[in-house]
Amino acid sequence: MRTIRDIRDSLPDDQRRHFDAELADTAIEALPEMLHRWVALSNDGFEEFLLSRPFEGMEFGARSYDEQPDAE
């Protein structure tokens, strides 16, 4: 990404509002750090990972020791 517009366009709509608000309140000296953080957020792939449904078909909440036969 080479421009602020590139960063902004790569974000989902809900994050774009947060980006705009933070950008408006960020001091010029802190701008590189702020932009670097948002570039990392927009490129981390976490949202795509979740949308790919990596846990489909898995059951959660059971523990291996829950299925032990009664000791009585």
Side-chain angles (χ1 to χ4, degrees):
M1 290 183 224
R2 300 191 52 98
T3 67
I4 292 172
R5 183 182 311 268
D6 292 339
I7 298 169
R8 192 176 184 282
D9 289 346
S10 71
L11 298 169
D13 289 336
D14 60 328
Q15 287 186 353
R16 196 172 297 143
R17 289 189 301 272
H18 295 293
F19 175 81
D20 290 343
E22 187 174 347
L23 181 61
D25 290 334
T26 300
I28 296 293
E29 305 83 41
L31 194 57
E33 181 182 333
M34 179 256 181
L35 293 175
H36 178 74
R37 186 168 28 83
W38 278 97
V39 166
L41 286 172
S42 68
N43 286 325
D44 71 357
F46 183 67
E47 183 177 12
E48 291 81 14
F49 171 73
L50 290 178
L51 293 174
S52 72
R53 302 181 345 188
F55 305 111
E56 187 173 11
M58 296 180 75
E59 293 182 27
F60 294 95
R63 298 172 297 245
S64 60
Y65 55 83
D66 286 343
E67 298 176 12
Q68 294 178 356
D70 291 336
E72 295 177 33

